[in-house]
Amino acid sequence: QDQLVESGGGSVQDGGSLRLSCVVSGYTISSICIGWFRQAPGREREGVALIDSVGRTTYRGSVQGRFTISRDSAKNTVFLQMDSLKPEDTAMYYCAAAIFYSREWRLEQEYNYWGQGTQVTVSS
């Protein structure tokens, strides 16, 4: 069964850190692309970061230098380390799996499987 399960969300102060985890089953993470998305109330879901099958990473501009996506192949888990968090980072965060790489990695329709999400709240 193909499944992604996120964890690690929570509430932090402005400038704080959180590390999100996405445990993947059904696929080996070194054979697929994993993206992190977020959706704030009243806003569209947006791509945050991507790690592809060979480990290359890509970030949206607003999180570049603050967020780091990585993976542990032994645990088949992808992480999103979030530092210097800001109130505007508040959102539900989702991980998603794409069987094939796409240049349009920020688009939801490029992904085949989704997790249930984990809430991140940053207060000022």
Side-chain angles (χ1 to χ4, degrees):
Q1 181 177 355
D2 306 314
Q3 188 175 15
L4 294 86
V5 179
E6 304 97 332
S7 63
S11 297
V12 296
Q13 296 285 325
D14 191 353
S17 297
L18 284 172
R19 189 175 83 153
L20 306 183
S21 299
C22 174
V23 180
V24 180
S25 58
Y27 283 95
T28 301
I29 58 174
S30 58
S31 66
I32 57 174
C33 301
I34 298 292
W36 281 99
F37 284 73
R38 65 187 181 188
Q39 187 169 22
R43 301 189 63 177
E44 293 186 354
R45 193 174 298 188
E46 60 184 22
V48 175
L50 172 81
I51 185 164
D52 69 13
S53 59
V54 297
R56 292 173 299 199
T57 59
T58 308
Y59 301 90
R60 72 179 297 112
S62 61
V63 308
Q64 183 80 44
R66 300 189 298 122
F67 289 11
T68 304
I69 189 171
S70 63
R71 67 187 185 187
D72 183 335
S73 296
K75 297 180 179 179
N76 220 43
T77 299
V78 174
F79 304 99
L80 185 67
Q81 177 67 41
M82 305 186 295
D83 299 316
S84 302
L85 281 162
K86 305 175 182 180
E88 52 263 42
D89 295 318
T90 294
M92 184 72 78
Y93 282 71
Y94 301 87
C95 63
I99 297 173
F100 301 107
Y101 173 78
S102 168
R103 292 181 182 180
E104 305 297 332
W105 67 271
R106 300 183 187 185
L107 300 181
E108 295 181 59
Q109 57 263 38
E110 301 301 316
Y111 293 81
N112 306 97
Y113 307 102
W114 290 82
Q116 82 289 348
T118 185
Q119 177 67 37
V120 171
T121 303
V122 184
S123 56
S124 57

